[in-house]
């Protein structure tokens, strides 16, 4: 079985003394966080920063101490099974405009934890957000 690796981040901003998360919806209708494939020679955080910028137009700062991995099988169009590994960081931005990458992102929303959590179709995505929220509660709130 072949494998592939992607990196991204749970992106947030502070608004009126609360945390708001950047949630994207792919053109396939899946809600999640900005992420994408590692390109040759890139480090994980470099990939995350590039993909966040490409998908949302945001320049972000990665927060030290948060790194989460998930792994799951994906069936390709050709019928092959690929084991996909995704590494998520936590990243913050302020005072920027969200600009969705039309070729991959159908919608970007800025939501509270309680608004975002029920949108996710996958348990892994919910767990990543829950861990990010817990991390922020300890570190920042």
């Amino acid at each position: 079985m072949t494998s592939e690796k992607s990196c991204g981040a749970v992106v947030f901003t502070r608004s009126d003394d609360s945390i708001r998360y950047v949630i994207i919806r792919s053109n396939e209708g899946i809600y999640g966080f900005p992420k994408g494939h590692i390109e040759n020679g890139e480090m994980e955080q470099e990939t995350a920063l590039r993909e966040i910028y490409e998908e949302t137009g945001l320049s972000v700062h990665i927060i030290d101490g948060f790194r989460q991995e998930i792994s799951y099988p994906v069936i390709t169009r050709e019928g092959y099974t690929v084991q996909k590994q995704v590494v998520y960081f936590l990243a913050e931005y302020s005072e920027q405009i969200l600009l969705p990458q039309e070729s991959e992102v159908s919608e970007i929303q800025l939501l509270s934890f309680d608004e975002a959590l029920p949108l996710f179709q996958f348990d892994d995505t919910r767990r990543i957000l829950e861990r990010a929220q817990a991390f922020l509660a300890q570190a920042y709130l």
Side-chain angles (χ1 to χ4, degrees):
M1 180 184 317
T2 60
S3 63
E4 65 180 47
K5 186 174 185 179
S6 292
C7 298
V10 178
V11 179
F12 73 96
T13 191
R14 299 165 204 254
S15 175
D16 300 324
D17 295 325
S18 67
I19 300 291
R20 309 289 285 179
Y21 295 98
V22 174
I23 307 301
I24 64 169
R25 185 172 59 147
S26 70
N27 288 334
E28 294 81 26
I30 305 297
Y31 286 92
F33 308 109
K35 71 177 185 323
H37 296 97
I38 287 183
E39 293 183 357
N40 287 340
E42 278 185 330
M43 303 298 290
E44 291 177 345
Q45 289 189 4
E46 292 173 320
T47 299
L49 292 171
R50 177 182 52 77
E51 287 291 338
I52 292 163
Y53 183 77
E54 287 176 4
E55 292 186 1
T56 68
L58 298 174
S59 295
V60 301
H61 167 74
I62 292 183
I63 306 297
D64 290 334
F66 185 91
R67 182 184 181 279
Q68 299 288 315
E69 282 186 43
I70 61 173
S71 182
Y72 52 91
V74 174
I75 299 175
T76 67
R77 291 184 181 134
E78 296 81 19
Y80 300 108
T81 301
V82 175
Q83 190 64 28
K84 181 151 184 151
Q85 175 191 17
V86 184
V87 175
Y88 286 105
F89 298 99
L90 187 60
E92 184 175 15
Y93 81 96
S94 62
E95 299 180 14
Q96 297 176 57
I97 296 171
L98 297 165
L99 301 169
Q101 179 186 29
E102 292 179 13
S103 63
E104 293 187 30
V105 177
S106 65
E107 180 182 11
I108 299 178
Q109 297 183 58
L110 193 57
L111 302 171
S112 70
F113 173 82
D114 291 332
E115 293 167 331
L117 199 62
L119 291 179
F120 299 129
Q121 293 96 331
F122 300 108
D123 290 339
D124 283 343
T125 312
R126 283 190 285 276
R127 276 194 292 277
I128 295 295
L129 182 61
E130 289 168 344
R131 291 174 183 164
Q133 177 79 359
F135 182 90
L136 288 172
Q138 288 183 336
Y140 290 103
L141 303 178

